[in-house]
Amino acid sequence: MSNQRKEEIVRAASKRFSRHGLSKTTLDEIARDVRIGKPTIYHYFKSKDDLFYSSIEFQSAQFIEDIKAIFNNQDLPVGARLLEYFAFKETISHRYKLIYDLILALLKDDSLEKEKQILQDLLKKESDVLNLILNSIYTGRIESMNISLPYYIVHLSWGLLFGNMIKEHFADDKSPNMKELMFKSLESILS
């Protein structure tokens, strides 16, 4: 029951922090959402900041599970999985707002060491997932895959997210489909 209660608190906090941010969210509101007393939150978390970081880590774990599900979908060919992965990244600002906000803070150089470490861990786990998938799919076709390729794809996909956001503001009908362009580039690297 203890781990279940802790997860309920983190889930509720994650929703609150995503909607209102750290400064505008109170522990009283989170306690009310979970129907517990505020002291129960302090039983599991030292502070609101501790709960906030746990919420980011919770969203990071969910994010990685979603990526694993995309790449483990045996019903789709590899190329379709890559395209789905890129499309999934475009939804992060809605699905995983805490992660998205963390990346924006990092880009503005406005993040704390703890936040940078969480993001670094997330990128590592994401690269590890891609490494496993690429190794299992391309075994025999690629003699020795460069260990930086999964890392490159992860960073490229994050760049695609922000590139597409910029493109939406300045797009014309002649702009290329960035996902397709990136996919074709990766296809030529992996073939």
Side-chain angles (χ1 to χ4, degrees):
M1 181 66 170
S2 177
N3 283 340
Q4 184 179 357
R5 175 65 70 187
K6 185 175 182 176
E7 186 175 323
E8 287 175 34
I9 295 168
V10 170
R11 281 180 187 276
S14 180
K15 287 178 186 175
R16 281 272 174 191
F17 290 133
S18 291
R19 270 187 256 136
H20 307 291
L22 176 62
S23 63
K24 293 183 181 175
T25 298
T26 68
L27 292 180
D28 289 322
E29 293 168 329
I30 295 167
R32 229 182 357 261
D33 290 348
V34 185
R35 295 184 173 99
I36 58 173
K38 188 172 163 182
T40 305
I41 292 176
Y42 283 113
H43 174 75
Y44 294 102
F45 303 96
K46 293 181 272 190
S47 64
K48 184 168 96 170
D49 286 348
D50 185 32
L51 178 55
F52 178 70
Y53 293 130
S54 292
S55 298
I56 295 172
E57 290 169 346
F58 172 75
Q59 278 197 3
S60 295
Q62 286 184 310
F63 175 78
I64 294 298
E65 289 305 312
D66 284 349
I67 288 174
K68 286 179 182 176
I70 290 168
F71 284 110
N72 287 328
N73 183 352
Q74 300 295 320
D75 296 337
L76 294 176
V78 176
R81 288 185 236 174
L82 277 170
L83 285 173
E84 190 172 326
Y85 167 67
F86 298 144
F88 170 73
K89 283 289 188 78
E90 293 175 341
T91 68
I92 193 165
S93 64
H94 305 294
R95 288 185 184 198
Y96 297 104
K97 186 148 179 8
L98 295 177
I99 296 170
Y100 177 77
D101 289 346
L102 182 64
I103 291 170
L104 290 179
L106 181 71
L107 291 174
K108 292 190 288 187
D109 200 28
D110 196 23
S111 58
L112 303 172
E113 282 307 310
K114 175 78 174 170
E115 293 167 335
K116 288 178 183 175
Q117 185 61 51
I118 291 171
L119 188 55
Q120 186 176 5
D121 291 345
L122 172 69
L123 295 174
K124 168 118 177 55
K125 288 175 185 172
E126 190 177 349
S127 296
D128 290 347
V129 169
L130 260 83
N131 188 37
L132 286 172
I133 297 304
L134 293 174
N135 275 325
S136 69
I137 293 170
Y138 291 102
T139 300
R141 289 179 52 195
I142 300 175
E143 245 178 72
S144 78
M145 185 173 59
N146 185 323
I147 59 169
S148 62
L149 181 61
Y151 193 72
Y152 170 74
I153 293 171
V154 166
H155 284 264
L156 200 59
S157 68
W158 284 106
L160 177 67
L161 166 69
F162 293 105
N164 279 335
M165 292 172 77
I166 292 168
K167 181 183 161 197
E168 284 177 19
H169 291 288
F170 303 107
D172 58 13
D173 292 337
K174 297 175 186 170
S175 296
N177 180 324
M178 300 303 284
K179 273 189 292 197
E180 291 291 330
L181 192 60
M182 185 180 341
F183 175 68
K184 288 182 193 290
S185 299
L186 287 175
E187 220 175 23
S188 66
I189 291 171
L190 296 171
S191 56

